């Protein structure tokens, strides 16, 4: 997708997404056979529900029909929330990951898996799990130390199970 088309779509769609109390995370136009696919990724602090995505999809479809932003070619519109494995790139992504286990790639070349405890303007306070019966340790990581970060999927978190049983 050209930068001009991306900027135009973002300018056109951002007000609709904001009006739905969502954040516009990504716009992607790709080819799917003869058709193009317009994929809009949205999120919020509470997550993007299926109903919110469906309602937003209708509003975006109407807006695109009123304009020539997608040209005359056929396209498929998809409005969804980001997957669980999406990279953390914005401050708000880290804030939404509080309490979650995250895998970090650090500039110093190391890899770190830790639970996000707090987030501020400079970085993160983390809890690094203990290994082989050792207690967890605290660690501070500045945003400029992070090359990549992604939430780790946890299927059976022990402290979560204890809370659910109580």
């Amino acid at each position: 997708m050209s930068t001009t088309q991306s900027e135009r779509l973002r300018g056109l769609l951002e007000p609709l997404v904001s009006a739905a109390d969502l954040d516009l995370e990504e716009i992607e136009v790709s080819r799917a056979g003869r058709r193009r696919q317009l994929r809009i990724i949205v999120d919020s602090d509470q997550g993007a529900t299926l109903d919110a995505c469906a309602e937003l999809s209708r509003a975006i479809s109407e807006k695109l029909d009123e304009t020539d932003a997608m040209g005359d070619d056929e396209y498929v519109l998809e409005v969804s929330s980001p997957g669980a494995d999406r990279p953390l790139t914005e401050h708000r992504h880290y804030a939404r990951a509080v309490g979650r286990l995250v895998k970090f790639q650090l500039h110093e070349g190391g890899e770190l898996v830790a639970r996000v405890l707090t987030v501020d303007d400079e970085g993160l306070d983390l809890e690094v799990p203990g290994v082989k019966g050792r207690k967890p340790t605290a660690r501070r990581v500045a945003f400029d130390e992070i090359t990549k970060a992604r939430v780790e999927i946890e299927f059976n978190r022990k402290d979560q199970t204890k809370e659910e049983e109580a």
Side-chain angles (χ1 to χ4, degrees), residues 55-71:
E55 190 174 315
L56 182 59
S57 179
R58 286 188 288 276
I60 289 173
S61 181
E62 287 176 22
K63 181 60 103 176
L64 292 173
D65 287 347
E66 294 171 4
T67 68
D68 66 346
M70 289 301 292

Side-chain angles (χ1 to χ4, degrees), residues 95-115:
R96 291 174 185 158
V98 168
R100 309 278 311 266
L101 199 62
V102 175
K103 183 177 188 176
F104 298 93
Q105 294 289 327
L106 304 175
H107 283 293
E108 64 193 34
E111 186 175 280
L112 172 67
V113 177
R115 190 163 311 281

Side-chain angles (χ1 to χ4, degrees), residues 119-131:
V119 178
D120 59 34
D121 291 340
E122 287 81 40
L124 312 152
D125 289 314
L126 307 172
E127 179 183 77
V128 181
V131 180

